[in-house]
mmCIF file of all heavy atoms in Angstrom:
data_model
loop_
_atom_site.group_PDB
_atom_site.id
_atom_site.type_symbol
_atom_site.label_atom_id
_atom_site.label_comp_id
_atom_site.label_asym_id
_atom_site.label_seq_id
_atom_site.Cartn_x
_atom_site.Cartn_y
_atom_site.Cartn_z
ATOM 1 N N ARG A 1 -108.421 -182.604 15.093
ATOM 2 C CA ARG A 1 -107.567 -183.705 14.628
ATOM 3 C C ARG A 1 -108.289 -184.864 14.039
ATOM 4 O O ARG A 1 -107.933 -185.484 13.088
ATOM 5 C CB ARG A 1 -106.652 -184.129 15.804
ATOM 6 C CG ARG A 1 -105.476 -184.968 15.423
ATOM 7 C CD ARG A 1 -104.511 -185.079 16.547
ATOM 8 N NE ARG A 1 -103.728 -183.912 16.800
ATOM 9 C CZ ARG A 1 -103.288 -183.499 17.977
ATOM 10 N NH1 ARG A 1 -103.573 -184.119 19.099
ATOM 11 N NH2 ARG A 1 -102.649 -182.380 18.030
ATOM 12 N N GLU A 2 -109.395 -185.256 14.742
ATOM 13 C CA GLU A 2 -110.178 -186.357 14.281
ATOM 14 C C GLU A 2 -110.776 -186.069 12.952
ATOM 15 O O GLU A 2 -110.978 -186.926 12.070
ATOM 16 C CB GLU A 2 -111.311 -186.664 15.288
ATOM 17 C CG GLU A 2 -110.806 -187.353 16.611
ATOM 18 C CD GLU A 2 -109.957 -186.441 17.442
ATOM 19 O OE1 GLU A 2 -110.133 -185.155 17.375
ATOM 20 O OE2 GLU A 2 -109.011 -186.881 18.137
ATOM 21 N N ARG A 3 -111.186 -184.838 12.718
ATOM 22 C CA ARG A 3 -111.810 -184.414 11.428
ATOM 23 C C ARG A 3 -110.742 -184.473 10.334
ATOM 24 O O ARG A 3 -111.033 -184.880 9.227
ATOM 25 C CB ARG A 3 -112.399 -183.054 11.545
ATOM 26 C CG ARG A 3 -113.686 -182.963 12.390
ATOM 27 C CD ARG A 3 -114.037 -181.460 12.744
ATOM 28 N NE ARG A 3 -115.290 -181.478 13.365
ATOM 29 C CZ ARG A 3 -115.549 -181.695 14.694
ATOM 30 N NH1 ARG A 3 -114.513 -182.033 15.513
ATOM 31 N NH2 ARG A 3 -116.745 -181.527 15.197
ATOM 32 N N LEU A 4 -109.433 -184.060 10.617
ATOM 33 C CA LEU A 4 -108.477 -184.002 9.636
ATOM 34 C C LEU A 4 -108.112 -185.437 9.151
ATOM 35 O O LEU A 4 -107.723 -185.582 7.995
ATOM 36 C CB LEU A 4 -107.219 -183.290 10.188
ATOM 37 C CG LEU A 4 -107.416 -181.779 10.457
ATOM 38 C CD1 LEU A 4 -106.070 -181.227 10.889
ATOM 39 C CD2 LEU A 4 -107.895 -181.032 9.238
ATOM 40 N N LYS A 5 -108.257 -186.348 10.023
ATOM 41 C CA LYS A 5 -107.883 -187.783 9.695
ATOM 42 C C LYS A 5 -108.742 -188.273 8.558
ATOM 43 O O LYS A 5 -108.406 -189.217 7.818
ATOM 44 C CB LYS A 5 -108.042 -188.703 10.925
ATOM 45 C CG LYS A 5 -106.996 -188.505 12.022
ATOM 46 C CD LYS A 5 -107.242 -189.435 13.188
ATOM 47 C CE LYS A 5 -106.265 -189.166 14.262
ATOM 48 N NZ LYS A 5 -106.553 -190.036 15.474
ATOM 49 N N LYS A 6 -109.942 -187.692 8.392
ATOM 50 C CA LYS A 6 -110.944 -188.147 7.436
ATOM 51 C C LYS A 6 -110.758 -187.515 6.105
ATOM 52 O O LYS A 6 -111.384 -187.809 5.118
ATOM 53 C CB LYS A 6 -112.383 -187.884 7.932
ATOM 54 C CG LYS A 6 -112.691 -188.579 9.211
ATOM 55 C CD LYS A 6 -114.117 -188.249 9.678
ATOM 56 C CE LYS A 6 -114.411 -188.886 11.055
ATOM 57 N NZ LYS A 6 -115.725 -188.458 11.534
ATOM 58 N N MET A 7 -109.893 -186.525 6.030
ATOM 59 C CA MET A 7 -109.704 -185.693 4.780
ATOM 60 C C MET A 7 -108.906 -186.496 3.820
ATOM 61 O O MET A 7 -108.007 -187.252 4.059
ATOM 62 C CB MET A 7 -109.026 -184.373 5.111
ATOM 63 C CG MET A 7 -109.718 -183.543 6.147
ATOM 64 S SD MET A 7 -111.324 -182.921 5.672
ATOM 65 C CE MET A 7 -110.853 -181.556 4.672
ATOM 66 N N ARG A 8 -109.279 -186.303 2.455
ATOM 67 C CA ARG A 8 -108.572 -186.890 1.372
ATOM 68 C C ARG A 8 -107.978 -185.847 0.469
ATOM 69 O O ARG A 8 -108.061 -184.681 0.719
ATOM 70 C CB ARG A 8 -109.522 -187.758 0.583
ATOM 71 C CG ARG A 8 -110.231 -188.917 1.376
ATOM 72 C CD ARG A 8 -109.162 -189.916 1.754
ATOM 73 N NE ARG A 8 -109.729 -190.997 2.556
ATOM 74 C CZ ARG A 8 -109.614 -191.027 3.926
ATOM 75 N NH1 ARG A 8 -109.103 -190.022 4.572
ATOM 76 N NH2 ARG A 8 -110.139 -192.074 4.594
ATOM 77 N N GLU A 9 -107.220 -186.269 -0.597
ATOM 78 C CA GLU A 9 -106.424 -185.432 -1.410
ATOM 79 C C GLU A 9 -107.054 -184.189 -1.893
ATOM 80 O O GLU A 9 -106.491 -183.172 -1.857
ATOM 81 C CB GLU A 9 -105.863 -186.245 -2.591
ATOM 82 C CG GLU A 9 -104.800 -185.546 -3.358
ATOM 83 C CD GLU A 9 -103.510 -185.409 -2.727
ATOM 84 O OE1 GLU A 9 -103.105 -186.252 -1.914
ATOM 85 O OE2 GLU A 9 -102.764 -184.401 -3.023
ATOM 86 N N GLU A 10 -108.292 -184.309 -2.393
ATOM 87 C CA GLU A 10 -108.963 -183.160 -3.012
ATOM 88 C C GLU A 10 -109.932 -182.524 -2.024
ATOM 89 O O GLU A 10 -110.645 -181.558 -2.378
ATOM 90 C CB GLU A 10 -109.733 -183.568 -4.299
ATOM 91 C CG GLU A 10 -108.694 -183.871 -5.453
ATOM 92 C CD GLU A 10 -109.401 -183.946 -6.766
ATOM 93 O OE1 GLU A 10 -110.566 -183.533 -6.915
ATOM 94 O OE2 GLU A 10 -108.725 -184.466 -7.736
ATOM 95 N N ASP A 11 -110.035 -182.932 -0.766
ATOM 96 C CA ASP A 11 -110.838 -182.269 0.270
ATOM 97 C C ASP A 11 -110.162 -180.900 0.538
ATOM 98 O O ASP A 11 -108.981 -180.725 0.359
ATOM 99 C CB ASP A 11 -111.047 -183.181 1.400
ATOM 100 C CG ASP A 11 -111.952 -184.370 1.132
ATOM 101 O OD1 ASP A 11 -112.697 -184.267 0.100
ATOM 102 O OD2 ASP A 11 -111.882 -185.339 1.894
ATOM 103 N N ILE A 12 -110.923 -180.049 1.257
ATOM 104 C CA ILE A 12 -110.432 -178.655 1.423
ATOM 105 C C ILE A 12 -110.538 -178.301 2.889
ATOM 106 O O ILE A 12 -111.607 -178.570 3.615
ATOM 107 C CB ILE A 12 -111.252 -177.687 0.674
ATOM 108 C CG1 ILE A 12 -111.147 -178.049 -0.858
ATOM 109 C CG2 ILE A 12 -110.822 -176.269 0.913
ATOM 110 C CD1 ILE A 12 -112.177 -177.297 -1.687
ATOM 111 N N VAL A 13 -109.548 -177.697 3.469
ATOM 112 C CA VAL A 13 -109.641 -176.957 4.723
ATOM 113 C C VAL A 13 -109.436 -175.481 4.389
ATOM 114 O O VAL A 13 -108.412 -175.074 3.867
ATOM 115 C CB VAL A 13 -108.478 -177.393 5.752
ATOM 116 C CG1 VAL A 13 -108.535 -176.499 6.975
ATOM 117 C CG2 VAL A 13 -108.763 -178.834 6.136
ATOM 118 N N PHE A 14 -110.497 -174.748 4.700
ATOM 119 C CA PHE A 14 -110.466 -173.255 4.424
ATOM 120 C C PHE A 14 -110.383 -172.540 5.787
ATOM 121 O O PHE A 14 -111.283 -172.616 6.634
ATOM 122 C CB PHE A 14 -111.721 -172.858 3.726
ATOM 123 C CG PHE A 14 -111.682 -171.348 3.313
ATOM 124 C CD1 PHE A 14 -110.951 -170.922 2.282
ATOM 125 C CD2 PHE A 14 -112.496 -170.462 3.952
ATOM 126 C CE1 PHE A 14 -110.888 -169.569 1.881
ATOM 127 C CE2 PHE A 14 -112.467 -169.136 3.674
ATOM 128 C CZ PHE A 14 -111.696 -168.720 2.605
ATOM 129 N N SER A 15 -109.241 -171.897 6.033
ATOM 130 C CA SER A 15 -108.956 -171.260 7.289
ATOM 131 C C SER A 15 -109.169 -169.708 7.146
ATOM 132 O O SER A 15 -108.512 -169.083 6.306
ATOM 133 C CB SER A 15 -107.499 -171.481 7.738
ATOM 134 O OG SER A 15 -107.238 -170.757 8.890
ATOM 135 N N ASP A 16 -110.105 -169.222 7.959
ATOM 136 C CA ASP A 16 -110.490 -167.807 7.873
ATOM 137 C C ASP A 16 -109.213 -166.913 8.141
ATOM 138 O O ASP A 16 -109.099 -165.813 7.583
ATOM 139 C CB ASP A 16 -111.576 -167.446 8.868
ATOM 140 C CG ASP A 16 -112.308 -166.153 8.481
ATOM 141 O OD1 ASP A 16 -111.743 -165.094 8.614
ATOM 142 O OD2 ASP A 16 -113.456 -166.263 7.918
ATOM 143 N N TRP A 17 -108.370 -167.352 9.099
ATOM 144 C CA TRP A 17 -107.207 -166.613 9.407
ATOM 145 C C TRP A 17 -105.962 -167.315 8.777
ATOM 146 O O TRP A 17 -105.812 -168.531 9.118
ATOM 147 C CB TRP A 17 -106.967 -166.462 10.873
ATOM 148 C CG TRP A 17 -107.895 -165.512 11.567
ATOM 149 C CD1 TRP A 17 -108.962 -164.842 11.002
ATOM 150 C CD2 TRP A 17 -107.816 -165.009 12.903
ATOM 151 N NE1 TRP A 17 -109.513 -164.005 11.870
ATOM 152 C CE2 TRP A 17 -108.862 -164.025 13.052
ATOM 153 C CE3 TRP A 17 -106.894 -165.217 13.942
ATOM 154 C CZ2 TRP A 17 -109.040 -163.398 14.245
ATOM 155 C CZ3 TRP A 17 -107.099 -164.585 15.164
ATOM 156 C CH2 TRP A 17 -108.165 -163.642 15.290
ATOM 157 N N ALA A 18 -105.233 -166.695 7.932
ATOM 158 C CA ALA A 18 -104.000 -167.276 7.330
ATOM 159 C C ALA A 18 -103.013 -167.728 8.383
ATOM 160 O O ALA A 18 -102.224 -168.618 8.165
ATOM 161 C CB ALA A 18 -103.361 -166.253 6.366
ATOM 162 N N LEU A 19 -103.036 -167.072 9.581
ATOM 163 C CA LEU A 19 -102.096 -167.440 10.613
ATOM 164 C C LEU A 19 -102.300 -168.882 11.162
ATOM 165 O O LEU A 19 -101.427 -169.463 11.707
ATOM 166 C CB LEU A 19 -102.360 -166.502 11.875
ATOM 167 C CG LEU A 19 -101.947 -165.018 11.705
ATOM 168 C CD1 LEU A 19 -102.463 -164.218 12.883
ATOM 169 C CD2 LEU A 19 -100.388 -164.947 11.690
ATOM 170 N N TRP A 20 -103.447 -169.484 10.857
ATOM 171 C CA TRP A 20 -103.752 -170.761 11.349
ATOM 172 C C TRP A 20 -103.225 -171.859 10.304
ATOM 173 O O TRP A 20 -103.019 -172.992 10.636
ATOM 174 C CB TRP A 20 -105.249 -171.005 11.467
ATOM 175 C CG TRP A 20 -105.782 -170.301 12.683
ATOM 176 C CD1 TRP A 20 -105.113 -169.854 13.817
ATOM 177 C CD2 TRP A 20 -107.150 -169.838 12.853
ATOM 178 N NE1 TRP A 20 -105.936 -169.197 14.609
ATOM 179 C CE2 TRP A 20 -107.185 -169.166 14.147
ATOM 180 C CE3 TRP A 20 -108.310 -169.896 12.085
ATOM 181 C CZ2 TRP A 20 -108.338 -168.657 14.602
ATOM 182 C CZ3 TRP A 20 -109.430 -169.371 12.625
ATOM 183 C CH2 TRP A 20 -109.524 -168.752 13.803
ATOM 184 N N LEU A 21 -102.956 -171.478 9.055
ATOM 185 C CA LEU A 21 -102.646 -172.466 8.100
ATOM 186 C C LEU A 21 -101.335 -173.246 8.435
ATOM 187 O O LEU A 21 -101.273 -174.447 8.182
ATOM 188 C CB LEU A 21 -102.401 -171.744 6.668
ATOM 189 C CG LEU A 21 -103.649 -171.456 5.944
ATOM 190 C CD1 LEU A 21 -103.373 -171.033 4.549
ATOM 191 C CD2 LEU A 21 -104.653 -172.639 5.897
ATOM 192 N N PRO A 22 -100.301 -172.675 8.902
ATOM 193 C CA PRO A 22 -99.115 -173.431 9.277
ATOM 194 C C PRO A 22 -99.454 -174.459 10.327
ATOM 195 O O PRO A 22 -98.826 -175.612 10.311
ATOM 196 C CB PRO A 22 -98.083 -172.419 9.841
ATOM 197 C CG PRO A 22 -98.489 -171.099 9.186
ATOM 198 C CD PRO A 22 -100.005 -171.149 9.050
ATOM 199 N N TYR A 23 -100.340 -174.176 11.273
ATOM 200 C CA TYR A 23 -100.729 -175.188 12.298
ATOM 201 C C TYR A 23 -101.485 -176.280 11.559
ATOM 202 O O TYR A 23 -101.218 -177.503 11.937
ATOM 203 C CB TYR A 23 -101.660 -174.546 13.333
ATOM 204 C CG TYR A 23 -100.925 -173.513 14.139
ATOM 205 C CD1 TYR A 23 -100.976 -172.159 13.766
ATOM 206 C CD2 TYR A 23 -100.209 -173.893 15.328
ATOM 207 C CE1 TYR A 23 -100.364 -171.173 14.571
ATOM 208 C CE2 TYR A 23 -99.668 -172.901 16.080
ATOM 209 C CZ TYR A 23 -99.739 -171.551 15.750
ATOM 210 O OH TYR A 23 -99.080 -170.614 16.544
ATOM 211 N N VAL A 24 -102.341 -176.034 10.622
ATOM 212 C CA VAL A 24 -102.998 -177.061 9.891
ATOM 213 C C VAL A 24 -102.048 -177.914 9.193
ATOM 214 O O VAL A 24 -102.155 -179.125 9.140
ATOM 215 C CB VAL A 24 -104.044 -176.431 8.915
ATOM 216 C CG1 VAL A 24 -104.787 -177.529 8.148
ATOM 217 C CG2 VAL A 24 -105.112 -175.647 9.693
ATOM 218 N N LYS A 25 -101.088 -177.328 8.532
ATOM 219 C CA LYS A 25 -100.038 -178.088 7.780
ATOM 220 C C LYS A 25 -99.292 -178.995 8.695
ATOM 221 O O LYS A 25 -99.045 -180.096 8.340
ATOM 222 C CB LYS A 25 -99.094 -177.094 7.026
ATOM 223 C CG LYS A 25 -98.125 -177.746 6.159
ATOM 224 C CD LYS A 25 -96.867 -176.892 5.971
ATOM 225 C CE LYS A 25 -96.005 -176.712 7.206
ATOM 226 N NZ LYS A 25 -94.704 -176.168 6.950
ATOM 227 N N ASP A 26 -98.929 -178.486 9.910
ATOM 228 C CA ASP A 26 -98.213 -179.364 10.794
ATOM 229 C C ASP A 26 -99.067 -180.529 11.240
ATOM 230 O O ASP A 26 -98.523 -181.708 11.327
ATOM 231 C CB ASP A 26 -97.839 -178.570 12.070
ATOM 232 C CG ASP A 26 -96.782 -177.487 11.743
ATOM 233 O OD1 ASP A 26 -96.151 -177.573 10.723
ATOM 234 O OD2 ASP A 26 -96.600 -176.529 12.656
ATOM 235 N N GLU A 27 -100.319 -180.347 11.429
ATOM 236 C CA GLU A 27 -101.235 -181.494 11.805
ATOM 237 C C GLU A 27 -101.376 -182.422 10.624
ATOM 238 O O GLU A 27 -101.368 -183.644 10.827
ATOM 239 C CB GLU A 27 -102.621 -180.935 12.226
ATOM 240 C CG GLU A 27 -102.615 -180.228 13.585
ATOM 241 C CD GLU A 27 -102.270 -181.206 14.734
ATOM 242 O OE1 GLU A 27 -102.598 -182.320 14.629
ATOM 243 O OE2 GLU A 27 -101.615 -180.696 15.646
ATOM 244 N N MET A 28 -101.395 -181.910 9.439
ATOM 245 C CA MET A 28 -101.450 -182.729 8.233
ATOM 246 C C MET A 28 -100.271 -183.692 8.193
ATOM 247 O O MET A 28 -100.479 -184.848 7.922
ATOM 248 C CB MET A 28 -101.515 -181.813 6.994
ATOM 249 C CG MET A 28 -101.573 -182.517 5.704
ATOM 250 S SD MET A 28 -101.291 -181.368 4.262
ATOM 251 C CE MET A 28 -102.456 -180.098 4.557
ATOM 252 N N GLU A 29 -99.123 -183.163 8.389
ATOM 253 C CA GLU A 29 -97.862 -183.945 8.325
ATOM 254 C C GLU A 29 -97.781 -184.912 9.455
ATOM 255 O O GLU A 29 -97.388 -186.069 9.278
ATOM 256 C CB GLU A 29 -96.697 -183.026 8.354
ATOM 257 C CG GLU A 29 -96.617 -182.149 7.050
ATOM 258 C CD GLU A 29 -95.468 -181.144 7.094
ATOM 259 O OE1 GLU A 29 -94.863 -180.940 8.186
ATOM 260 O OE2 GLU A 29 -95.178 -180.506 6.064
ATOM 261 N N ARG A 30 -98.247 -184.525 10.690
ATOM 262 C CA ARG A 30 -98.185 -185.380 11.827
ATOM 263 C C ARG A 30 -99.182 -186.566 11.594
ATOM 264 O O ARG A 30 -98.865 -187.748 12.072
ATOM 265 C CB ARG A 30 -98.639 -184.596 13.011
ATOM 266 C CG ARG A 30 -98.569 -185.390 14.388
ATOM 267 C CD ARG A 30 -98.972 -184.577 15.557
ATOM 268 N NE ARG A 30 -97.996 -183.465 15.796
ATOM 269 C CZ ARG A 30 -98.303 -182.146 15.559
ATOM 270 N NH1 ARG A 30 -99.460 -181.760 15.143
ATOM 271 N NH2 ARG A 30 -97.335 -181.289 15.838
ATOM 272 N N LEU A 31 -100.293 -186.322 10.949
ATOM 273 C CA LEU A 31 -101.272 -187.411 10.830
ATOM 274 C C LEU A 31 -101.010 -188.198 9.464
ATOM 275 O O LEU A 31 -101.644 -189.298 9.279
ATOM 276 C CB LEU A 31 -102.716 -186.789 10.693
ATOM 277 C CG LEU A 31 -103.139 -186.084 12.002
ATOM 278 C CD1 LEU A 31 -104.490 -185.363 11.673
ATOM 279 C CD2 LEU A 31 -103.342 -187.114 13.150
ATOM 280 N N GLY A 32 -100.158 -187.722 8.591
ATOM 281 C CA GLY A 32 -99.886 -188.429 7.377
ATOM 282 C C GLY A 32 -100.935 -188.407 6.350
ATOM 283 O O GLY A 32 -101.167 -189.327 5.610
ATOM 284 N N VAL A 33 -101.712 -187.215 6.411
ATOM 285 C CA VAL A 33 -102.784 -187.126 5.393
ATOM 286 C C VAL A 33 -102.500 -185.870 4.562
ATOM 287 O O VAL A 33 -101.528 -185.159 4.777
ATOM 288 C CB VAL A 33 -104.151 -186.830 6.145
ATOM 289 C CG1 VAL A 33 -104.595 -188.044 6.884
ATOM 290 C CG2 VAL A 33 -104.150 -185.575 7.022
ATOM 291 N N SER A 34 -103.247 -185.724 3.461
ATOM 292 C CA SER A 34 -103.006 -184.680 2.545
ATOM 293 C C SER A 34 -104.373 -184.112 2.001
ATOM 294 O O SER A 34 -105.290 -184.899 1.733
ATOM 295 C CB SER A 34 -102.202 -185.112 1.300
ATOM 296 O OG SER A 34 -101.889 -184.066 0.471
ATOM 297 N N PHE A 35 -104.473 -182.850 1.905
ATOM 298 C CA PHE A 35 -105.646 -182.143 1.386
ATOM 299 C C PHE A 35 -105.319 -180.729 0.932
ATOM 300 O O PHE A 35 -104.199 -180.322 0.982
ATOM 301 C CB PHE A 35 -106.787 -182.064 2.493
ATOM 302 C CG PHE A 35 -106.260 -181.710 3.834
ATOM 303 C CD1 PHE A 35 -106.034 -180.423 4.148
ATOM 304 C CD2 PHE A 35 -106.050 -182.748 4.773
ATOM 305 C CE1 PHE A 35 -105.605 -180.117 5.470
ATOM 306 C CE2 PHE A 35 -105.591 -182.380 6.020
ATOM 307 C CZ PHE A 35 -105.380 -181.098 6.405
ATOM 308 N N ARG A 36 -106.264 -180.130 0.434
ATOM 309 C CA ARG A 36 -106.019 -178.712 -0.122
ATOM 310 C C ARG A 36 -106.241 -177.694 0.901
ATOM 311 O O ARG A 36 -107.167 -177.813 1.752
ATOM 312 C CB ARG A 36 -106.939 -178.472 -1.353
ATOM 313 C CG ARG A 36 -106.601 -179.360 -2.513
ATOM 314 C CD ARG A 36 -107.476 -179.280 -3.678
ATOM 315 N NE ARG A 36 -106.940 -180.063 -4.799
ATOM 316 C CZ ARG A 36 -107.461 -180.127 -5.996
ATOM 317 N NH1 ARG A 36 -108.588 -179.368 -6.273
ATOM 318 N NH2 ARG A 36 -106.927 -180.853 -6.953
#
């Protein structure tokens, strides 16, 4: 969560398992940040 807070619009989170992407998206919305 602390790492995601530092992400910006064109920064990237690459998840090896696609199953984790919805969780990343939920954290993104909870923190009010945006990235690729």
Side-chain angles (χ1 to χ4, degrees):
R1 192 168 287 148
E2 288 68 30
R3 290 167 171 82
L4 295 183
K5 289 178 182 177
K6 301 176 183 178
M7 306 293 282
R8 297 295 179 263
E9 185 73 29
E10 290 192 13
D11 291 338
I12 302 165
V13 173
F14 184 75
S15 173
D16 201 286
W17 285 12
L19 289 167
W20 291 335
L21 283 189
Y23 295 93
V24 177
K25 185 201 69 169
D26 290 345
E27 288 297 325
M28 181 191 307
E29 294 174 350
R30 184 179 293 111
L31 297 171
V33 295
S34 181
F35 43 80
R36 296 176 174 183

